[in-house]
Amino acid sequence: MDIRLKILEDREKRIEKVREVLREEKKLVITIKSNICGNEKNIKETNVLLSYFISEVKRKFKVREYMKHYSYDGNYYILVLENEKDEKHVKKELIKLENCKVGRLIDLDLYKDGFRSISRLELGFEKRKCLICNGDYNVCSKEKKHTVEEIIVKSKSIVQEFLIEEIKSIAKNSLMEEVEADPKFGLVTRKSSGRHENMDIDTFKKSILNLEKSIEQYLEEGFKIDKNSFKKLRLIGIKAEKRMLEATNDVNTHKGAIFILGILLPSVLNNVYNGKEFKEIKNKVQMLTVDIFEDFKNIESKEKLTYGEKVYKKYGINGIRGETHRGLPIAFEGVEKFSNYEGNRNDLVINILLFVMERLDDTVILHRNDINMLEYVKDVGKEINKLGGYETDIGKKLAFKYTKKFIELNISPGGSADITMSILLLLKIKERFYKVE
């Protein structure tokens, strides 16, 4: 059968499925479907759009159930809303979503009694604009002002740019959330410089602002990563470190975070773009770092060693290299543990930090202190976690007590802070793009 006939046939089937659901449920029903041009509707960009918008709709409304359907006219979701009776309110919220940067490429239709509900015009919203020239969509379509190929190229470009912007924003917010949380065991916070005399919250803000270009470059590489990408990502990281030091007057605020983001961000983008399951991000991290222990070859004959190499030579602990080589296992354990956390954001960050401190062989501590101090830090994390974490009264008292003690002892678990940031990032990625898993 001609693909165009299959598309038309599946279009009719979708309408009938919606009517069947409405006959059974007698509730408001939403369909989520991309409106990608051309005969091939189910491309990578379609997966991104569906994943993002079902997460956004589920965030705005209580959804009783949802069903994914496969179709030549484009895969789509049917969602049944729970206890939503104000169809004007629902439609307005859906239109707001359609008005976002990639909203022109999605159809969020509301149905009631088997038919599409109120239109955009009835609610005072403008008609949707042409994707290419921003003119009247109906006129452009009728007069065939733009070729199908032009529209497809533009659609793909919009989705890819959106994906970079969205994940970049999540990365920057995760960096900020981590540094702002307080109290934090000798680390810089919004209230304190911790044990660091040469930096404060403003130093970190400058650094994060200057990392934006490098974050974009990491993400751009994510569209085409393979096992040979690591060298290129590392070069981006070297330039990122230089920008960081220029912004902070040679203060190292984010060296560890730059390394982790250089592995994690392209892995995340590649996974989302290709419609893979969340857990497969870990596999991509491992793929990128498969040869990372080459850094430790001939370490005995090297004249100049990095901090990580010095720790490895002294203790045999491979630090963040080992963590990434194993696919950031502590980070993914943290995502599993804190995915349904209901406390405030500050408490979440402190609880994640304690979770990481208990488990991580933090080479930042080993560089500045010794193995006994690392065990002490782990014991502190274990003690507070056993008592129920930071949100408990005793947890808060101990967190303030040990924060003071860490400053006195010149301890700053910077490696734990970097893994905490990566957990915050992954939690938000899971919420935005993997709500249906």
Side-chain angles (χ1 to χ4, degrees):
M1 184 187 291
D2 188 296
I3 185 67
R4 289 169 296 182
L5 293 176
K6 289 181 178 179
I7 288 172
L8 290 172
E9 184 179 294
D10 278 4
R11 195 169 293 169
E12 292 299 321
K13 286 180 181 177
R14 183 178 74 251
I15 295 170
E16 184 53 39
K17 283 182 186 294
V18 171
R19 286 176 172 161
E20 284 177 15
V21 172
L22 281 163
R23 282 195 293 268
E24 291 177 11
E25 297 290 344
K26 306 295 183 185
K27 294 179 181 293
L28 293 178
V29 167
I30 295 171
T31 59
I32 303 176
K33 178 190 168 298
S34 70
N35 55 26
I36 297 290
C37 190
N39 290 332
E40 180 51 66
K41 306 289 187 181
N42 295 311
I43 57 178
K44 290 178 181 180
E45 287 71 20
T46 303
N47 292 326
V48 174
L49 292 167
L50 289 177
S51 297
Y52 178 77
F53 280 100
I54 191 171
S55 295
E56 289 297 290
V57 171
K58 288 183 72 178
R59 199 155 59 88
K60 283 183 174 289
F61 304 107
K62 188 174 181 181
V63 176
R64 178 174 175 178
E65 63 176 307
Y66 60 89
M67 298 144 279
K68 185 174 184 178
H69 296 277
Y70 298 88
S71 167
Y72 283 104
D73 188 38
N75 299 336
Y76 61 96
Y77 283 97
I78 297 177
L79 296 86
V80 180
L81 300 187
E82 182 72 80
N83 300 327
E84 285 286 354
K85 296 179 180 178
D86 187 346
E87 60 184 291
K88 285 188 178 181
H89 166 72
V90 174
K91 185 63 179 180
K92 284 179 181 178
E93 292 300 314
L94 295 178
I95 293 171
K96 287 178 186 177
L97 286 176
E98 287 182 339
N99 286 344
C100 79
K101 188 171 183 179
V102 285
R104 182 62 190 83
L105 297 170
I106 200 79
D107 287 327
L108 303 174
D109 291 323
L110 181 64
Y111 290 88
K112 181 181 180 183
D113 300 327
F115 298 96
R116 200 176 269 112
S117 185
I118 314 162
S119 70
R120 297 171 67 93
L121 295 177
E122 286 178 87
L123 293 174
F125 289 88
E126 292 182 348
K127 290 182 180 179
R128 301 179 89 173
K129 302 293 186 179
C130 171
L131 198 66
I132 303 292
C133 66
N134 207 37
D136 189 311
Y137 167 73
N138 292 323
V139 172
C140 289
S141 179
K142 185 177 180 180
E143 297 180 1
K144 296 183 179 179
K145 284 188 174 182
H146 315 290
T147 67
V148 171
E149 289 73 22
E150 280 182 295
I151 298 170
I152 291 173
V153 169
K154 181 67 173 179
S155 299
K156 289 183 176 181
S157 174
I158 288 172
V159 174
Q160 290 173 10
E161 288 173 10
F162 167 77
L163 201 51
I164 289 174
E165 286 299 313
E166 191 71 14
I167 299 176
K168 180 179 74 173
S169 176
I170 290 171
K172 288 170 62 180
N173 288 339
S174 299
L175 287 163
M176 280 306 305
E177 268 198 315
E178 185 283 314
V179 72
E180 287 182 335
D182 183 88
K184 222 165 63 218
F185 308 97
L187 293 161
V188 172
T189 78
R190 66 183 182 276
K191 295 180 180 179
S192 166
S193 293
R195 59 150 293 278
H196 302 275
E197 295 179 355
N198 62 342
M199 63 178 86
D200 58 18
I201 186 69
D202 289 331
T203 318
F204 274 77
K205 286 180 178 179
K206 289 176 186 175
S207 179
I208 293 168
L209 184 64
N210 277 269
L211 288 177
E212 186 167 327
K213 183 176 180 181
S214 301
I215 289 172
E216 287 179 2
Q217 291 173 332
Y218 283 148
L219 289 167
E220 285 164 2
E221 288 300 312
F223 289 110
K224 52 187 183 297
I225 60 168
D226 57 34
K227 64 180 182 181
N228 299 312
S229 299
F230 182 67
K231 289 181 181 178
K232 192 168 185 180
L233 292 166
R234 200 166 226 183
L235 289 174
I236 295 171
I238 290 169
K239 291 179 182 178
E241 286 183 22
K242 185 178 179 182
R243 289 193 190 99
M244 170 194 73
L245 295 173
E246 288 173 353
T248 62
N249 293 320
D250 288 330
V251 175
N252 173 18
T253 49
H254 286 109
K255 188 172 182 178
I258 287 169
F259 180 82
I260 291 177
L261 290 173
I263 306 300
L264 187 56
L265 288 178
S267 299
V268 164
L269 184 139
N270 189 273
N271 211 66
V272 173
Y273 185 60
N274 286 289
K276 303 296 183 181
E277 293 181 6
F278 178 81
K279 63 183 180 182
E280 292 193 36
I281 296 171
K282 185 175 182 179
N283 298 335
K284 289 181 171 59
V285 170
Q286 289 178 301
M287 176 195 72
L288 282 173
T289 56
V290 65
D291 296 322
I292 199 167
F293 290 146
E294 292 290 316
D295 291 353
F296 295 136
K297 275 192 173 180
N298 305 315
I299 197 169
E300 296 298 332
S301 61
K302 285 186 178 181
E303 292 184 9
K304 190 175 181 180
L305 300 177
T306 66
Y307 293 154
E309 288 170 338
K310 288 176 182 177
V311 169
Y312 178 75
K313 187 175 180 180
K314 186 173 182 179
Y315 297 107
I317 293 173
N318 47 40
I320 193 56
R321 291 175 177 84
E323 279 298 303
T324 53
H325 186 73
R326 292 185 290 273
L328 294 172
I330 295 174
F332 282 93
E333 287 172 30
V335 171
E336 187 175 346
K337 180 176 177 62
F338 293 102
S339 282
N340 298 311
Y341 188 84
E342 295 181 352
N344 66 55
R345 298 300 294 182
N346 187 81
D347 287 6
L348 171 64
V349 177
I350 307 303
N351 275 308
I352 291 174
L353 178 62
L354 288 165
F355 172 85
V356 178
M357 282 166 51
E358 181 181 346
R359 290 162 175 78
L360 183 68
D361 288 330
D362 193 329
T363 53
V364 175
I365 296 169
L366 288 174
H367 171 64
R368 296 184 181 279
N369 306 103
D370 58 26
I371 197 74
N372 293 323
M373 200 65 82
L374 174 61
E375 292 305 316
Y376 171 71
V377 171
K378 286 184 174 183
D379 287 342
V380 168
K382 188 180 295 183
E383 179 185 356
I384 298 176
N385 287 333
K386 275 189 175 180
L387 292 168
Y390 175 71
E391 69 264 35
T392 63
D393 289 341
I394 185 64
K396 283 183 168 59
K397 287 179 183 177
L398 287 174
F400 281 101
K401 170 190 167 183
Y402 283 120
T403 290
K404 185 178 179 181
K405 189 69 175 175
F406 276 36
I407 293 171
E408 291 173 0
L409 294 172
N410 199 30
I411 306 172
S412 178
S416 299
D418 295 333
I419 300 295
T420 296
M421 176 277 299
S422 69
I423 294 173
L424 291 167
L425 187 154
L426 286 167
L427 282 169
K428 188 57 71 172
I429 290 293
K430 190 174 183 182
E431 177 188 321
R432 290 285 175 85
F433 295 101
Y434 296 91
K435 198 82 170 181
V436 298
E437 281 196 358

